[in-house]
Amino acid sequence: MDRRHLTILTGASRGLGRAMAEQLLGPQRLLLTIERRPDPALAALAAQRGAQLEQWSQDLSEPLEAAQRLAHWLGELSPAAIASATLINNAAVLPHIGPLQSCPADELSRAVRVGLEAAMHLTATFLRTSDRWVAEYGWDGPRRVLNISSGLGRYPMAGQAAYCAVKAGLDHFSRCTALDEARRPNGARIVSLAPGVIDTDMQEQMRAGDPAGFPDKGRFLQLHAQGLLTPAHEAARRVLAWLDRPDFGDPCVADVRHA
């Protein structure tokens, strides 16, 4: 039986997520993408490369629903057909830029649900199911969870309370989960990785912010003007290379720029 490397990727519709999805496609991989809408171009590329791709249109602001769907899907897989299992929590939402009290309640809630709550539920589901593979089938493939964090999770910025809090939450939940997994036989390895400053739609939102509520707007305008934003395809290459490191998981909280 041919064994495939299973990768689950959230937020694959654009930017870094789309670039990672494209680079992950290959004949030895089973790739599940969870995004707002399926991408016909990605499906065509998968067929061209002989890759097994499944795309879900799933609203991650309903994290319990997403986790239940993932649990059912993983439960239908044969562990004997899986060489390794990786979850990449990449999905994020940038809510209104400005002081916390100016952020609409629905945007604030969506940012936390998509960026942090969904990541925690999906990680719990991924670990729970793969734990069962280990216990019931003696599966011994490597398990990895990669959370896409941000420098803003480690450095405070005015006008970014919600986004900074979500990314800080990713970092700390990764640290705690890594401690739990280190105590288990064949435990998963966990990393929360800042991917650098990337040329994405989110950067455009930053540059369009109102300086009255976002005093650091000039910094983002300068990064763009000086050509210091990393193209999404290059950022994706660096992030995926991190997954292949023999020391993946040490450190648990990392930055691609500190490789």
Side-chain angles (χ1 to χ4, degrees), residues 155-222:
Y155 307 100
M157 181 173 287
Q160 293 289 331
Y163 188 77
C164 288
V166 164
K167 295 303 185 181
L170 274 180
D171 286 351
H172 213 48
F173 119 70
S174 299
R175 291 184 183 100
C176 296
T177 305
L179 291 174
D180 289 333
E181 290 301 300
R183 301 174 62 243
R184 305 172 63 84
N186 196 33
R189 295 187 177 187
I190 318 290
V191 169
S192 190
L193 183 67
V197 186
I198 310 171
D199 191 6
T200 63
D201 292 348
M202 197 167 287
Q203 281 288 321
E204 291 183 17
Q205 288 178 261
M206 298 280 203
R207 295 195 297 272
D210 182 354
F214 185 37
D216 287 285
K217 174 178 178 176
R219 172 185 170 191
F220 291 90
L221 290 171
Q222 188 176 43

Side-chain angles (χ1 to χ4, degrees), residues 241-252:
W242 202 279
L243 272 170
D244 292 334
R245 290 169 59 117
D247 63 348
F248 181 86
D250 183 18
C252 173

